[in-house]
Amino acid sequence: QIVFQHPQMTFNPRRNLYFSCAEPIRLHSLDKKIDEKTMINHMISRVGISKEQLKKFPHEISGGQAQRLSIARALLLNPKLLICDEPTSMLDVSVQAQILRLIKEANEKYGVSVLFISHDLEVIQAMCSRVAVMQKGEIVEIGTIKEVFENPKHDYTKKLLSSFLKV
């Protein structure tokens, strides 16, 4: 499953958020032993969204709420891999931290592997165990966070890390 940079663009603007969360369950014909509403209510409570918010339309919620719903929708299908494409770039720092905690929890608690795509080196360092550095669509260096951040081999990686301000 994928979590996009602009989550509100992934919701149908003419349907409420409950419909957007239920749609993957219906499309993938998930296990009918657990009813759709129960699955959705359980997942939204995990990501900090109330049942009332599901009655709203995408334009009526904040970016952070939309991203939490996007993560909930992706996790409803119990994926083995969650692809996160700049999931926090449009969010303020406090909401960013909440989203990162949700993704980390999915990884640690539920065994979901995460491919995290970001330009934010601080977030990469905090979230990832391994990193691949890309230049013009090509991987130029790959390794553990420690290997790449402490001993970069490629000139582009060195240049990229030299622009990274550690606070």
Side-chain angles (χ1 to χ4, degrees):
Q1 289 298 303
I2 190 160
V3 176
F4 292 100
Q5 181 175 2
H6 303 287
Q8 282 163 314
M9 303 292 288
T10 66
F11 296 112
N12 183 338
R14 295 185 178 145
R15 303 301 295 260
N16 68 22
L17 295 166
Y18 179 87
F19 177 86
S20 292
C21 288
E23 190 173 32
I25 295 169
R26 295 170 186 162
L27 290 173
H28 292 274
S29 303
L30 291 185
D31 189 357
K32 300 297 181 188
K33 293 176 195 166
I34 303 170
D35 114 289
E36 172 185 293
K37 195 173 278 191
T38 302
M39 287 176 74
I40 292 169
N41 288 338
H42 171 73
M43 190 57 68
I44 64 164
S45 71
R46 277 180 45 196
V47 300
I49 297 291
S50 71
K51 292 177 194 175
E52 283 300 307
Q53 287 172 306
L54 292 178
K55 296 175 184 173
K56 294 181 178 180
F57 289 83
H59 69 277
E60 297 176 310
I61 61 172
S62 71
Q65 290 168 327
Q67 197 60 286
R68 286 195 296 274
L69 273 169
S70 182
I71 292 167
R73 187 172 57 179
L75 293 176
L76 274 168
L77 297 177
N78 296 316
K80 292 186 186 330
L81 175 65
L82 186 65
I83 300 170
C84 297
D85 182 12
E86 297 278 4
T88 59
S89 67
M90 307 282 295
L91 306 173
D92 65 53
V93 177
S94 64
V95 177
Q96 205 176 57
Q98 292 171 351
I99 298 302
L100 294 175
R101 271 194 301 277
L102 280 172
I103 293 168
K104 202 155 190 106
E105 179 184 287
N107 172 251
E108 293 170 353
K109 208 172 182 183
Y110 301 100
V112 177
S113 296
V114 179
L115 174 61
F116 199 91
I117 303 162
S118 181
H119 291 92
D120 188 329
L121 297 178
E122 189 176 3
V123 170
I124 292 294
Q125 203 169 25
M127 292 295 292
C128 303
S129 55
R130 296 186 53 79
V131 63
V133 178
M134 295 183 74
Q135 180 184 26
K136 298 180 182 176
E138 299 287 327
I139 294 176
V140 296
E141 188 163 351
I142 192 165
T144 66
I145 288 292
K146 186 175 180 165
E147 291 167 351
V148 174
F149 276 66
E150 292 179 11
N151 190 22
K153 306 275 188 261
H154 194 274
D155 287 339
Y156 179 75
T157 306
K158 290 175 185 174
K159 193 177 190 181
L160 184 67
L161 290 173
S162 71
S163 69
F164 175 48
L165 299 175
K166 292 183 182 180
V167 182

